[in-house]
Amino acid sequence: MGCDEARSQRLGPRVLMMLAVLLREVCQAHPIPDSSPLLQFGGQVRQRFLYTDDAQETEAHLEIRGDGTVVGAARRSPEGLLELKALKPGVIQILGVKTSRFLCQGPDGTLYGSLRFDPAACSFRELLLEDGYNIYHSETLGLPLRLPPNNSGNWDSASRGPARFLPLPGLLLTPPEPPGIQAPEPPDVGSSDPLSMVGPSQGRSPSYAS
């Protein structure tokens, strides 16, 4: 038996053993997590306005104001821009972008904004509905999220059930320009005085003469 033939016989079982180890590791590997946004993986952050028209006195956007009160406003405002961050699948925290206050809920269902995040009071379960609206419940208390009627803090949230909120993209509407104010015209790059720094009586600079 030649040296080459003997070496091939020694390598054959060794290669088969390595292949068997690799196949076993592949079979035992963990599956790739589902990347669907519906699962609300931890760390996912969205900026949204929460709009509701469900059994409210008026259509409203949820606002967390600087003094910690939570109200409903008819129009979008900086206080209504919220950051929704996933804590774990299906559970989020809601932070007011401008006021840096977390949306929290007391034992009686009262909503308030807190500068400190309390997992027991400031974590909400988010349920996505088929029509694009969402409903929210306190993860700890199980109470539904609902704006107070007439911007009042005295109401029974549990007896009325959850309100539907429509998350709207976090873009503020740009107010229209006042009448009579026109945008400045762009500079004339082909002119000898593109920034209009020379008065009309100064004439044309000789350096620009052809």
Side-chain angles (χ1 to χ4, degrees), residues 171-194:
L171 297 175
L172 288 173
L173 300 178
T174 303
E177 295 184 359
I181 299 180
Q182 297 181 354
E185 296 182 357
D188 183 4
V189 295
S191 170
S192 62
D193 184 23

Side-chain angles (χ1 to χ4, degrees), residues 57-140:
E57 296 291 336
T58 182
E59 299 177 358
H61 300 81
L62 190 151
E63 282 189 357
I64 305 176
R65 295 186 173 172
D67 60 357
T69 58
V70 177
V71 300
R75 298 183 180 181
R76 302 184 196 180
S77 71
E79 289 80 7
L81 182 58
L82 308 172
E83 182 180 275
L84 280 63
K85 180 178 179 180
L87 303 175
K88 56 186 178 181
V91 178
I92 65 170
Q93 69 180 28
I94 302 175
L95 174 69
V97 174
K98 181 178 180 180
T99 60
S100 298
R101 288 182 176 270
F102 295 95
L103 180 67
C104 305
Q105 192 171 38
D108 60 349
T110 303
L111 300 176
Y112 63 95
S114 173
L115 293 173
R116 185 179 65 88
F117 177 73
D118 180 4
C122 311
S123 301
F124 295 90
R125 288 202 165 273
E126 183 180 43
L127 176 62
L128 282 65
L129 305 179
E130 295 181 355
D131 57 3
Y133 282 78
N134 298 344
I135 58 176
Y136 301 90
H137 287 84
S138 169
E139 184 189 23
T140 303

